[in-house]
Amino acid sequence: MKKRVVVGMSGGVDSSAAACLLLEQGYDVIGVTMRTWRDETQGDIQARNGCCGLTAVDDARRVADCLGIPYYVLNFKEDFRKYVIDYFVGEYTRGRTPNPCIACNRYVKWESLLFKAKQLGADYIATGHYARVVKYPDTLRLSISRSAAKGKDQTYALYSLTQAQLDSTLLPLGDYRKEDIRRFAAEHNLPVAHKPDSQDICFVPDGDYASFIKEYTETAPPEGDFVDESGRVLGRHKGIARYTIGQRKGLGIAFGRPMYVKSIDAAGNTVTLSEDVSVSEMITSDVNWMALEPFEGERRFNVKIRYGDKAAGCTAYVERAADAIKIRCRFDVPRRAVTPGQAAVFYDGEYVAFGGVID
Amino acid sequence: MEKVYFDHAATTYVRPEVLEAMLPYFAEDYGNPSSIYEIARSAKKTLETARDKAAAALGADPAEIFFTGSGTEADNWAIRGIAELYEKKGRHIISSAIEHHAVLHTCEYLEKRGFEVTYLPVGEDGIIRVADLEKAVRPDTTLITIMTANNEIGSIQPIEEIGALARSKGIVFHTDAVQAVGHIPINVKSQNIDMLSLSAHKLYGPKGVGALYVKKGIPLRSFIFGGGQERGRRAGTENIPGIVALGKAIELAVSEMEEESRRLSALRDKLIDGILSSVPHTFLNGSSVKRLPNNVNVSFEFIEGESLLLLLDMKGIFASSGSACTSGSLDPSHVLLAIGLPHEKAHGSLRITLGRSSTEGQVEYFLKELPPIVSRLRDMSPLFEEYLKISDPARVSG
């Protein structure tokens, strides 16, 4: 019998091509668009290109029709609010910088969608990520490896998948480059072949996080002080959620020399500025083990500390505390803007070895 | 695979007799009723014949019928029209918690404009209490808008009593009867109805045409501005094929109502009994007595209606979880919450609405396919596992 796969379709070219590829490979394909945030009944949404906009649903449906596959729009709004929006807002108000796409992958796509897919009798879920699911030769554990699309590597956002989740995951775009996929989509007359890529976080289409948080929490974040590393007040900030580590622009003060956000203290409501925001060490917690399991001693990795980061050499150790495992890592060259709340993903060659959240 | 359409409350197909009646008005008798020459006169006559039929079906006078583009338009027009017309007298409206969004969202719009709306609660049976209505009436109440029959749970409201109360207080009474017309007897005179909305596609007519009944003497203003159609109250060239179809469909529905209603009620009860007896932890939503002949709404504990719908779809059974207008998103239904269901039980609901094409064989097919689907979903449900642990620890010892 054909294996059944549920493809998460965002209406974009990548997930559309993924569905088409799987169909050609002989899978029984079902298309699903996840309704994650506001919907039409609230009447306050303009057409937009994020992954949960209305145009997304229309486009995905057109592609599904074109492929002749069953297609459903399913509701994940409760989970999305709980695991993505609440987390997103919470992290900013704790002075950290969240990555909502990783949270969405971890809790919504690879928990809720996978569960729905299994209910529908599916063996797998698939997405249009540029990455591969592979066995890591040394441990025979499942891992994610970098795709052929060098510029479009999306392994970073997938570091949190468990072995069981990876076992139920197909990433059909892993062997292609973006331009191959666009050509493939055009050759197959997929109606979204020429649609531009989406960039922004889907629930903040205008990129204005601060206003989003203010609206969502219905409170204006309190103003506070910019301080230097000795605690001397340099000026007033407009609420900690507006700043992220390493930020230079938009501080609203001229210092006569480049100043960057070095750290954010939520409890004290202060933002510390400094001329030098490099660090040589970092601690990562909430670790998900992928190709590797906890190891003894030190090991060499390349680590990415944000989406789109260039992996840089480091030496890492596993630190076992009473309640949790943490990773301490020393960069070969000090790194700028190591940002609490962002993911750190450690690579062994092309493979994701493990990843976690920067403390 | 068998295809079983069990979602007639979302929309129905156009009956062949109705299709036949409307076809000539696309390409042959295409005149504009407002013009003066012969084919226009014939269009005008056709329009008025359809109006006569709609009026007869409701016990109204033809002059009291205004054709619209949909039931939703009729609701919007009635509610906003009365609210604005009597704004000087008062800005209070009474509605119910289980109205269709066409009514609820219109009321919400008015609330934003400074009107006050009281949403009457309903009992477990999905029916308002007239005593609650009486208490809610204020000197500044200008409109009561309560649906005749609910689209999700099929509960039928005490329309005649509501109408009598409204009349005794000098308040306009509007009812959204989109689910009721052609399905249960309606008489605007004996039921004291001042305004009523209906829609053709719920009674085997086409989509895109509805009507508003407005009792003589209510000077409802125009809602859509333009030409002088519908006695200057609803501009826009008349949708003659649609209106002809509405007339034909409503005439047929009323003439066949008694027999069809008996047939559907029997199928409905067979479904309800069959579901409740074959699937444990399942209950009926809404009244078992004051219920539309074609409506079944049940909740299956521990599972999500959304998953159930998909698995039924794979078996060729087309049902819904709430009203079609919201099932794209599947938020817990406001109607089920209003009859007191907690969130998780509201999520596990299934609505089946029968129609002319529904047969005993389809009901049996459904009753055969349903139980294994529910068991499968429950086997995967963490809520069900939790329940088993508490109720019978031995069963899940492994």
Side-chain angles (χ1 to χ4, degrees):
Chain A
M1 211 171 93
K2 280 186 178 181
K3 293 274 192 186
R4 180 175 287 173
V5 55
V6 164
V7 183
M9 294 178 72
S10 68
V13 62
D14 296 332
S15 55
S16 301
C20 189
L21 277 165
L22 291 166
L23 199 63
E24 290 193 341
Q25 289 165 20
Y27 288 95
D28 173 12
V29 180
I30 296 175
V32 164
T33 296
M34 308 173 71
R35 179 146 284 167
T36 49
W37 187 222
R38 296 197 172 136
D39 64 19
E40 73 278 17
T41 62
Q42 305 192 317
D44 56 356
I45 280 292
Q46 300 107 28
R48 52 184 157 90
N49 292 321
C51 36
C52 51
L54 281 183
T55 53
V57 170
D58 290 340
D59 284 343
R61 183 174 283 125
R62 278 160 59 209
V63 171
D65 283 348
C66 168
L67 297 175
I69 59 172
Y71 171 77
Y72 303 105
V73 180
L74 301 183
N75 180 17
F76 293 91
K77 285 197 272 187
E78 273 182 32
D79 287 342
F80 193 79
R81 171 180 283 268
K82 193 160 128 199
Y83 295 113
V84 181
I85 306 280
D86 285 350
Y87 147 83
F88 176 81
V89 170
E91 285 286 84
Y92 268 120
T93 52
R94 287 186 286 273
R96 290 156 61 93
T97 304
N99 186 320
C101 299
I102 289 177
C104 179
N105 284 339
R106 178 172 180 177
Y107 296 108
V108 187
K109 292 200 183 104
W110 270 273
E111 280 290 337
S112 313
L113 176 64
L114 182 56
F115 181 68
K116 269 273 152 76
K118 298 263 161 152
Q119 285 186 327
L120 294 179
D123 303 284
Y124 303 103
I125 60 169
T127 64
H129 284 99
Y130 286 86
R132 298 178 175 127
V133 179
V134 285
K135 254 196 183 117
Y136 180 70
D138 295 356
T139 58
L140 299 180
R141 286 169 60 86
L142 289 170
S143 179
I144 296 278
S145 87
R146 284 192 252 185
S147 76
K150 288 285 181 233
K152 191 72 193 169
D153 173 44
Q154 291 176 327
T155 54
Y156 175 81
L158 298 173
Y159 84 87
S160 70
L161 303 194
T162 65
Q163 293 293 301
Q165 289 165 343
L166 288 169
D167 203 27
S168 301
T169 299
L170 300 176
L171 300 177
L173 302 196
D175 295 333
Y176 299 90
R177 294 169 306 159
K178 181 81 188 191
E179 52 272 34
D180 301 331
I181 288 302
R182 283 213 182 271
R183 195 177 320 114
F184 175 85
E187 280 164 13
H188 287 75
N189 294 315
L190 298 183
V192 294
H194 305 291
K195 198 172 156 181
D197 289 3
S198 59
Q199 295 294 348
D200 287 309
I201 293 175
C202 67
F203 55 91
V204 194
D206 58 359
D208 184 356
Y209 308 150
S211 298
F212 176 86
I213 292 165
K214 190 173 151 188
E215 242 172 70
Y216 185 74
T217 57
E218 292 176 356
T219 49
E223 290 188 8
D225 288 332
F226 282 124
V227 296
D228 68 13
E229 284 172 279
S230 63
R232 194 165 56 94
V233 174
L234 301 173
R236 296 288 287 171
H237 71 67
K238 297 195 179 108
I240 57 169
R242 290 178 179 273
Y243 307 96
T244 185
I245 308 299
Q247 179 177 342
R248 177 181 165 196
K249 288 180 183 162
L251 300 180
I253 312 174
F255 298 100
R257 60 189 192 282
M259 292 287 273
Y260 305 89
V261 173
K262 168 116 184 169
S263 63
I264 297 172
D265 174 12
N269 195 32
T270 56
V271 174
T272 303
L273 304 182
S274 167
E275 284 177 75
D276 178 17
V277 292
S278 299
V279 296
S280 54
E281 271 203 357
M282 140 183 107
I283 304 275
T284 303
S285 55
D286 191 11
V287 180
N288 181 57
W289 295 96
M290 199 170 264
L292 294 186
E293 289 181 283
F295 52 88
E296 300 297 327
E298 60 174 56
R299 278 184 75 146
R300 296 282 305 157
F301 297 99
N302 287 318
V303 62
K304 285 191 183 187
I305 57 171
R306 67 179 69 84
Y307 184 78
D309 187 23
K310 232 177 129 189
C314 71
T315 305
Y317 318 78
V318 177
E319 287 193 343
R320 290 184 170 80
D323 52 339
I325 282 183
K326 295 191 177 208
I327 306 292
R328 178 179 294 274
C329 107
R330 199 173 55 240
F331 301 114
D332 296 352
V333 177
R335 305 270 342 241
R336 285 194 69 255
V338 176
T339 307
Q342 292 283 291
V345 180
F346 294 79
Y347 293 84
D348 182 357
E350 300 295 297
Y351 301 92
V352 173
F354 56 91
V357 181
I358 300 171
D359 270 1
Chain B
M1 187 169 56
E2 192 156 355
K3 299 269 186 235
V4 179
Y5 185 75
F6 272 176
D7 204 14
H8 287 84
T11 190
T12 53
Y13 57 93
V14 176
R15 287 177 70 158
E17 306 94 309
V18 171
L19 184 62
E20 196 186 336
M22 72 190 290
L23 280 178
Y25 297 94
F26 285 100
E28 294 160 37
D29 292 331
Y30 51 84
N32 184 328
S34 301
S35 304
I36 200 162
Y37 34 76
E38 193 208 316
I39 60 164
R41 288 197 302 272
S42 128
K44 178 77 181 157
K45 198 172 146 228
T46 308
L47 175 65
E48 295 315 320
T49 308
R51 199 184 308 281
D52 292 346
K53 289 178 179 174
L58 302 176
D61 190 284
E64 296 173 316
I65 303 295
F66 298 87
F67 293 112
T68 65
S70 64
T72 294
E73 184 195 322
D75 284 337
N76 273 260
W77 183 18
I79 296 167
R80 285 175 62 180
I82 292 300
E84 284 162 15
L85 183 64
Y86 297 123
E87 200 165 0
K88 290 227 166 66
K89 183 190 157 203
R91 291 161 73 87
H92 180 239
I93 295 166
I94 300 172
S95 187
S96 86
I98 62 165
E99 296 298 309
H100 189 273
H101 284 128
V103 169
L104 286 181
H105 286 172
T106 307
C107 287
E108 284 165 20
Y109 164 81
L110 288 169
E111 284 181 288
K112 282 187 195 143
R113 303 273 314 269
F115 286 81
E116 278 183 76
V117 182
T118 302
Y119 299 96
L120 296 176
V122 292
E124 244 178 57
D125 54 5
I127 296 170
I128 67 135
R129 305 291 174 251
V130 177
D132 289 344
L133 172 62
E134 197 157 5
K135 270 186 245 152
V137 170
R138 310 191 322 205
D140 60 342
T141 309
T142 57
L143 172 69
I144 294 170
T145 174
I146 291 172
M147 69 199 326
T148 305
N150 184 266
N151 48 313
E152 293 188 32
I153 56 174
S155 54
I156 299 170
Q157 303 298 332
I159 291 304
E160 193 177 328
E161 293 165 76
I162 297 169
L165 179 70
R167 201 148 289 178
S168 74
K169 306 275 186 187
I171 301 166
V172 174
F173 172 42
H174 164 257
T175 186
D176 172 348
V178 164
Q179 294 291 338
V181 172
H183 298 273
I184 56 172
I186 303 252
N187 184 299
V188 292
K189 297 262 156 29
S190 70
Q191 290 179 295
N192 310 308
I193 299 167
D194 295 323
M195 302 173 93
L196 174 147
S197 307
L198 67 91
S199 173
H201 77 109
K202 308 288 191 189
L203 37 90
Y204 308 97
K207 294 147 187 79
V209 58
L212 181 66
Y213 151 80
V214 184
K215 187 171 176 279
K216 243 178 262 171
I218 298 179
L220 191 71
R221 292 189 201 126
S222 185
F223 182 61
I224 290 177
F225 300 100
Q229 293 87 354
E230 297 296 279
R231 281 96 67 216
R233 305 246 216 140
R234 203 282 186 179
T237 300
E238 299 86 343
N239 171 8
I240 296 292
I243 291 169
V244 167
L246 189 154
K248 182 73 182 175
I250 203 169
E251 182 182 45
L252 287 169
V254 169
S255 73
E256 296 169 3
M257 188 189 298
E258 207 181 317
E259 198 187 326
E260 180 64 0
S261 159
R262 202 178 310 121
R263 188 182 80 88
L264 291 180
S265 300
L267 289 181
R268 173 195 69 190
D269 295 341
K270 184 176 170 126
L271 266 172
I272 294 174
D273 294 345
I275 295 169
L276 297 184
S277 64
S278 66
V279 184
H281 310 295
T282 301
F283 52 90
L284 179 71
N285 294 312
S287 169
S288 55
V289 192
K290 290 191 169 139
R291 183 173 202 105
L292 286 173
N294 70 337
N295 176 289
V296 176
N297 189 311
V298 285
S299 280
F300 300 94
E301 292 191 66
F302 316 116
I303 66 172
E304 279 182 33
E306 188 174 71
S307 309
L308 182 58
L309 290 185
L310 302 189
L311 291 175
L312 286 171
D313 181 31
M314 291 178 175
K315 295 284 179 192
I317 297 164
F318 313 134
S320 84
S321 178
S323 70
C325 315
T326 51
S327 61
S329 59
L330 285 170
D331 288 327
S333 140
H334 68 283
V335 176
L336 296 180
L337 296 179
I339 62 170
L341 260 60
H343 251 247
E344 66 275 12
K345 291 188 185 178
H347 264 307
S349 75
L350 177 72
R351 179 185 77 169
I352 296 166
T353 44
L354 304 167
R356 292 176 50 78
S357 59
S358 307
T359 64
E360 186 121 20
Q362 292 182 342
V363 167
E364 280 159 10
Y365 174 70
F366 175 85
L367 289 174
K368 177 167 75 72
E369 296 294 342
L370 176 75
I373 293 176
V374 175
S375 316
R376 176 180 153 70
L377 291 174
R378 281 189 179 154
D379 285 345
M380 297 178 72
S381 159
L383 293 172
F384 190 53
E385 199 179 330
E386 203 58 25
Y387 165 81
L388 288 181
K389 262 185 215 159
I390 293 162
S391 68
D392 185 6
R395 276 181 67 180
V396 284
S397 56

